[in-house]
Amino acid sequence: MSDASINTQARASHGDAEFGDYFALLKPRVMSLVVFTAAVGLLAAPGSVHPFVAFCAILFIAVGGGASGALNMWYDADIDRLMKRTQSRPIPAGKVTEGEALAVGVALSGFAVVMLGLAANWVAAGLLAFTIFFYVVIYTMWLKRWTPQNIVIGGAAGAFPPMIGWAVVTGGISIESVLMFTLTFMWTPPHFWALCLFMKSDYKDAGVPMLHVTHGRRVTRNHILVYTLLLAVVAIGMAFTGVGGPIYLTTALILNGLFVAGAISIWRRDEEISEADGYKREKAFFALSLIYLFLHFGAILTEATLAPYGIGGW
Amino acid sequence: MSFREHHELHKRRFGRNLGVALVLVSFIVIVFGLTVVKVTRGDYEPENASIQRDQ
């Protein structure tokens, strides 16, 4: 084996990432939620935009969301190395350097905001810029490592996409878009806290002050119930606004009934019971939370799609 | 070992270069498409252009 081959192999493992490794920096799974909720916000808004402009707007919102994911991975590389759930991310896995992630994040953030402004309007672009700022600076750099309420306030970052989609069409903000924001905002805490209950060692090892680490599991279970009840009020109340209708109301009543029942079930359990059955109820609640958000936005989309035929809406 | 021999590294670099090329081509298509849509809809015409045309 020559020196040349040794050098080649060394570089292959450090710094010669595949395209997919850079794509993984954008958190594709989170991006899919961003795309879906932004598309619903855009399609449910009164008025219309050219289909190509709509496609581009969703794409730029997705790129902006992905860019904030890359910046999150850059800043959180130290704790990502400690948590099992995040050890396979491109930076801890040694595929992409921290500097590369920072460069990708900054470049794509600027690109997404400017292109959204040019393609749609500057209100939507401003909201996207604020979303990136909120996720990276307010959540990742400040709240995440400082307060157990990190997920509550940080959840706002993931809640902005439907508002941005709405702003692409209307050029502004309205009660319906704020309620779509509130739906995701209120959904995030019970969704994440349920995950924390059965992924307990991860956040503790990394020293992230999640509620269950700082205040214990009993308090976390109480919080899940309270937020789920508040979420149910918002979700069902939204049925009586411009984006709601009988289909949405039926969906919201069923899903919130199941979600509240799941939260009560988690609240009534203690660690002994949960450990005995491998956190079965907590895992089921987490799985339901994923379907919950998807179906609520799906119902809004259905109402908007059927409205021109006189079926959707009130 | 010959430098011409195909190493796994070359495959990775090719994939990365191809990905960047596709992204750049997509960007050109998007900018062109947006330009066509905006010009066709008259987004860049001055507000009084239609009045001037009628006169």
Side-chain angles (χ1 to χ4, degrees):
Chain A
M1 192 184 276
S2 69
D3 287 344
S5 67
I6 293 168
N7 289 339
T8 308
Q9 281 176 346
R11 287 182 64 188
S13 58
H14 299 284
D16 268 304
E18 289 178 47
F19 186 74
D21 296 323
Y22 292 104
F23 185 67
L25 283 175
L26 309 184
K27 297 190 177 181
R29 270 193 293 182
V30 177
M31 221 155 73
S32 63
L33 178 70
V34 168
V35 167
F36 179 63
T37 56
V40 172
L42 191 147
L43 293 167
S48 65
V49 286
H50 191 283
F52 190 73
V53 173
F55 165 79
C56 290
I58 303 273
L59 180 72
F60 299 139
I61 295 168
V63 171
S68 61
L71 291 170
N72 169 272
M73 284 199 202
W74 157 71
Y75 193 81
D76 276 349
D78 57 336
I79 55 174
D80 281 354
R81 289 189 186 98
L82 301 173
M83 297 196 287
K84 263 183 256 166
R85 189 172 67 86
T86 52
Q87 274 168 355
S88 59
R89 284 179 177 175
I91 300 175
K95 293 172 179 172
V96 175
T97 65
E98 290 176 32
E100 284 176 319
L102 175 64
V104 168
V106 170
L108 288 184
S109 296
F111 167 82
V113 171
V114 171
M115 288 306 293
L116 185 62
L118 292 171
N121 58 66
W122 293 102
V123 173
L127 281 171
L128 180 63
F130 183 71
T131 305
I132 296 168
F133 168 79
F134 199 94
Y135 187 64
V136 177
V137 179
I138 306 289
Y139 172 68
T140 305
M141 293 183 180
W142 181 32
L143 295 172
K144 188 173 178 179
R145 302 183 192 212
W146 178 63
T147 167
Q149 295 298 319
N150 49 14
I151 219 67
V152 179
I153 308 160
F160 276 113
M163 269 182 97
I164 305 171
W166 185 279
V168 165
V169 179
T170 63
I173 296 166
S174 71
I175 183 72
E176 289 89 352
S177 72
V178 172
L179 279 170
M180 281 194 276
F181 165 89
T182 314
L183 182 71
T184 316
F185 178 71
M186 296 303 293
W187 164 87
T188 309
H191 164 77
F192 263 102
W193 284 331
L195 176 74
C196 290
L197 286 176
F198 60 86
M199 299 276 282
K200 52 182 179 180
S201 65
D202 258 13
Y203 289 109
K204 203 173 182 178
D205 295 344
V208 178
M210 295 299 284
L211 189 66
H212 69 293
V213 176
T214 58
H215 290 72
R217 296 166 167 276
R218 182 69 262 159
V219 173
T220 308
R221 288 173 191 274
N222 297 346
H223 272 64
I224 288 175
L225 179 62
V226 172
Y227 273 88
T228 304
L229 292 171
L230 292 172
L231 172 66
V233 174
V234 173
I236 295 170
M238 206 157 89
F240 305 102
T241 66
V243 292
I247 298 165
Y248 176 86
L249 180 61
T250 311
T251 309
L253 285 172
I254 295 168
L255 285 170
N256 284 281
L258 292 171
F259 213 47
V260 169
I264 291 171
S265 167
I266 288 177
W267 176 69
R268 293 175 68 173
R269 283 152 69 91
D270 57 25
E271 282 312 295
E272 211 175 300
I273 301 168
S274 294
E275 275 183 17
D277 67 1
Y279 292 89
K280 202 174 162 187
R281 295 276 173 85
E282 287 79 1
K283 286 176 182 173
F285 183 80
F286 178 74
L288 177 64
S289 73
L290 297 171
I291 303 166
Y292 177 97
L293 197 69
F294 176 78
L295 289 182
H296 270 87
F297 277 94
I300 294 170
L301 184 61
T302 309
E303 296 283 5
T305 311
L306 296 176
Y309 306 102
I311 308 168
W314 295 110
Chain B
M1 185 179 165
S2 163
F3 281 108
R4 299 188 73 81
E5 190 180 322
H6 267 276
H7 191 273
E8 197 261 335
L9 173 72
H10 298 116
K11 214 171 99 182
R12 267 200 269 181
R13 280 186 183 169
F14 176 74
R16 202 173 60 189
N17 293 342
L18 188 67
V20 172
L22 286 174
V23 167
L24 292 175
V25 169
S26 307
F27 179 61
I28 293 165
V29 171
I30 283 168
V31 171
F32 181 70
L34 280 174
T35 309
V36 170
V37 168
K38 293 209 169 252
V39 169
T40 310
R41 288 192 320 178
D43 283 11
Y44 295 117
E45 282 185 24
E47 285 191 11
N48 59 354
S50 59
I51 301 165
Q52 285 175 348
R53 265 202 308 270
D54 295 339
Q55 282 172 348

